[in-house]
Amino acid sequence: MEIVIKKDYEQMSRFAAEYIASFIRKKPNCVIGFATGSTPIGTYRELIRMHKNGLDFSNVIAFNLDEYLGLGMDLSKPYSQDQSYHRFMFEELFNHINIKKENIHIPDGLTNNPDEFCKAYEDAIKEAGGIDLQILGIGGDGHWAFNEPGSSFESRTRIEKLSEQTIDDNYEAFYKNAGFSRDEMPHYAITMGIGTILEARNLLMLVNGYKKADIVAKALEGPVTNQITASAIQIYKGVATVVLDEEAASRLVHGDRHHYKSVNI
Ligand code: PGA
């Protein structure tokens, strides 16, 4: 695992975008696992800027980590009434780059048959040759995607009940601003499993801000536990790069922060 500490959110985002762009330049048809949430927005803005300067997404294949159950690509709703991750991805990235629609895969929270859908999603990842680079954040409860505390490290794409903390966090970050009540927030999601994520060939985990400092220190340096599913990074066999801003890195204790800094910057 390589830990990169950047001064602030902007520098973290720039580094992450450059890292992703280098994959695309090396392998134009690479398979990228995209993440949602407030953390990657800056990275996606940078990627859009790079696209305007020539970065070509026309052969990139995208698989998103998760989607709320009951939400999906519902074009009948205006954006203001739709907090789906479909909307998020199109609004924050896909509408602004030249990725082909047929290359975009996001779990369909509107499916009538979630079990079948989840199996087909796993099959589609395999058919695409597996994920070359999976982008990840970390939830306030330590989750990767919507793999809430207690999820098996062997878990696959499935329906997961959101933890109370995730509901609170995502309500504050998204739903409240859009004028929804907490009860209107979905309590279930379709999510790639930890087992699915651990099969990606490279991981890029992004974390910013003091509010994540404790949980990311536990995930990276504490015991490996399914109570903090992002701690699975410690048993990951591929190439994992963690990019933190100074605030998020402020509670790393076991490893010397100066060591992380000196080897990575
Ligand atoms: P956030 O969410 O980027 O909005 O903090 C991260 C996550 O839940 O994984």
Side-chain angles (χ1 to χ4, degrees):
M1 175 185 358
E2 185 165 33
I3 299 180
V4 178
I5 302 171
K6 290 289 176 185
K7 192 168 130 278
D8 54 23
Y9 180 71
E10 205 183 312
Q11 284 198 21
M12 179 194 88
S13 302
R14 238 183 265 149
F15 181 94
E18 191 44 59
Y19 188 90
I20 297 163
S22 72
F23 266 79
I24 299 172
R25 288 192 202 103
K26 259 186 267 157
K27 185 180 175 190
N29 62 344
C30 65
V31 180
I32 299 184
F34 285 96
T36 50
S38 46
T39 309
I41 290 176
T43 303
Y44 295 161
R45 295 213 171 123
E46 274 298 306
L47 286 176
I48 294 165
R49 195 187 56 73
M50 292 166 114
H51 168 64
K52 288 193 178 123
N53 289 322
L55 183 64
D56 180 16
F57 289 81
S58 62
N59 291 307
V60 169
I61 299 168
F63 281 92
N64 259 78
L65 282 170
D66 45 18
E67 176 60 283
Y68 293 111
L69 197 62
L71 301 187
M73 199 63 182
D74 182 357
L75 297 172
S76 66
K77 281 187 188 159
Y79 277 165
S80 59
Q81 288 173 27
D82 175 12
Q83 290 297 306
S84 72
Y85 284 167
H86 278 75
R87 178 202 60 81
F88 177 98
M89 284 311 299
F90 279 88
E91 202 174 296
E92 299 294 346
L93 183 64
F94 295 150
N95 283 341
H96 311 285
I97 58 175
N98 65 333
I99 190 166
K100 292 192 185 102
K101 259 219 161 112
E102 63 266 29
N103 287 348
I104 296 171
H105 307 83
I106 305 175
D108 181 9
L110 297 170
T111 177
N112 292 324
N113 192 337
D115 289 344
E116 207 168 278
F117 177 85
C118 291
K119 199 185 157 304
Y121 202 70
E122 290 276 339
D123 290 345
I125 293 171
K126 279 199 191 87
E127 269 159 40
I131 292 173
D132 290 304
L133 173 62
Q134 178 62 59
I135 303 164
L136 294 159
I138 185 172
D141 64 357
H143 69 204
W144 260 354
F146 278 132
N147 291 284
E148 300 294 33
S151 298
S152 163
F153 284 179
E154 308 252 327
S155 54
R156 313 301 307 189
T157 302
R158 69 199 186 290
I159 292 180
E160 176 76 350
K161 188 173 192 312
L162 306 187
S163 72
E164 288 301 312
Q165 182 171 355
T166 295
I167 293 170
D168 284 343
D169 289 349
N170 289 13
Y171 176 65
E172 285 298 323
F174 294 100
Y175 275 77
K176 197 171 164 186
N177 299 334
F180 288 88
S181 72
R182 191 181 180 282
D183 287 346
E184 286 173 292
M185 232 202 97
H187 288 202
Y188 289 85
I190 296 180
T191 183
M192 275 189 209
I194 295 296
T196 321
I197 293 167
L198 291 177
E199 278 172 13
R201 286 183 276 280
N202 298 269
L203 302 182
L204 176 64
M205 181 171 165
L206 310 177
V207 191
N208 70 289
Y210 283 125
K211 67 178 192 308
K212 297 278 181 69
D214 261 334
I215 196 69
V216 78
K218 284 182 181 146
L220 301 183
E221 298 180 336
V224 175
T225 168
N226 72 346
Q227 294 305 309
I228 297 173
T229 56
S231 69
I233 198 167
Q234 297 182 43
I235 57 158
Y236 173 62
K237 293 194 180 82
V239 179
T241 304
V242 184
V243 192
L244 308 169
D245 70 357
E246 289 274 4
E247 292 184 4
S250 60
R251 293 285 168 84
L252 294 176
V253 286
H254 292 296
D256 172 349
R257 282 211 298 138
H258 297 290
H259 168 70
Y260 293 143
K261 263 183 129 165
S262 64
V263 291
N264 292 308
I265 289 184

